[in-house]
Amino acid sequence: YIVVFDHLVWNQKFLARYLVSNNDFLDASSAKFLLKILKICKKLNLKLILKTKRKQWYLKKYHNFLKKLQENNFDNFDILFDKSVYEVSIKSQLCITFPFTSAAIMAKNYGMPSIYFDHNSKYKNNSKDLNYGIKTIFGEVELFNYLLKYKTK
């Protein structure tokens, strides 16, 4: 299986209150990130596991989105919340995370293949400065081609 590690997800009001301008942490952005990966994994017949930080998200909208996604994609998608990064990554074929989150670094340190997926190519100009030596994949086409090659290894 392919494992995706998420990050904390917030709504617009919370981010505005704390003057955080990085919309990667918005629930809508996180949903798009996950949907793009799942779409590609389904095309390639790859199982996708989301290792989430929370059993239940504070944002009911995001929590309901994940539950519905799991129900509608029973064969291709599952959610884990009660396992460590090590437990999940050690059994996976590949770890995918949002750009520059620590789970990718941890998986790499455990010897597991790991990539960052920049689904909207936001960090294309400066990813080499931020990626800790972990490959960054930009956009759906590049992710599809990467996973296709990875699957046929």
Side-chain angles (χ1 to χ4, degrees), residues 71-85:
E71 290 168 9
N72 294 340
N73 296 282
F74 185 76
D75 293 334
N76 298 87
F77 180 70
D78 203 0
I79 301 171
L80 296 175
F81 56 85
D82 59 347
K83 304 283 184 197
S84 70
V85 171

Side-chain angles (χ1 to χ4, degrees), residues 2-13:
I2 306 293
V3 65
V4 172
F5 293 96
D6 68 1
H7 56 73
L8 294 177
V9 176
W10 306 103
N11 65 21
Q12 186 71 45
K13 288 181 183 177

Side-chain angles (χ1 to χ4, degrees), residues 10-130:
W10 306 103
N11 65 21
Q12 186 71 45
K13 288 181 183 177
F14 177 87
L15 293 178
R17 187 175 354 164
Y18 293 100
L19 302 174
V20 176
S21 62
N22 187 344
N23 65 3
D24 289 345
F25 295 100
L26 286 175
D27 53 346
S29 180
S30 295
K32 287 178 187 174
F33 169 83
L34 193 53
L35 285 170
K36 288 176 182 181
I37 297 169
L38 180 59
K39 180 177 134 186
I40 292 167
C41 284
K42 285 174 82 170
K43 281 183 185 177
L44 297 173
N45 198 29
L46 294 167
K47 174 91 174 180
L48 183 65
I49 304 287
L50 172 66
K51 167 53 180 105
T52 186
K53 292 179 179 279
R54 303 272 185 271
K55 180 176 182 176
Q56 182 162 352
W57 284 93
Y58 302 115
L59 293 176
K60 207 151 204 50
K61 181 179 170 185
Y62 187 70
H63 179 77
N64 291 338
F65 161 77
L66 291 178
K67 283 176 58 178
K68 189 172 182 177
L69 196 63
Q70 187 176 25
E71 290 168 9
N72 294 340
N73 296 282
F74 185 76
D75 293 334
N76 298 87
F77 180 70
D78 203 0
I79 301 171
L80 296 175
F81 56 85
D82 59 347
K83 304 283 184 197
S84 70
V85 171
Y86 176 77
E87 290 173 292
V88 176
S89 63
I90 200 74
K91 295 179 181 178
S92 70
Q93 296 169 280
L94 177 68
C95 302
I96 302 174
T97 68
F98 259 93
F100 323 127
T101 56
S102 61
I105 298 166
M106 293 169 70
K108 180 183 173 192
N109 288 341
Y110 297 140
M112 302 311 300
S114 188
I115 61 170
Y116 293 121
F117 176 50
D118 183 0
H119 72 103
N120 55 13
S121 300
K122 180 177 180 176
Y123 300 102
K124 201 163 196 163
N125 293 331
N126 62 350
S127 70
K128 289 185 175 125
D129 299 330
L130 303 170

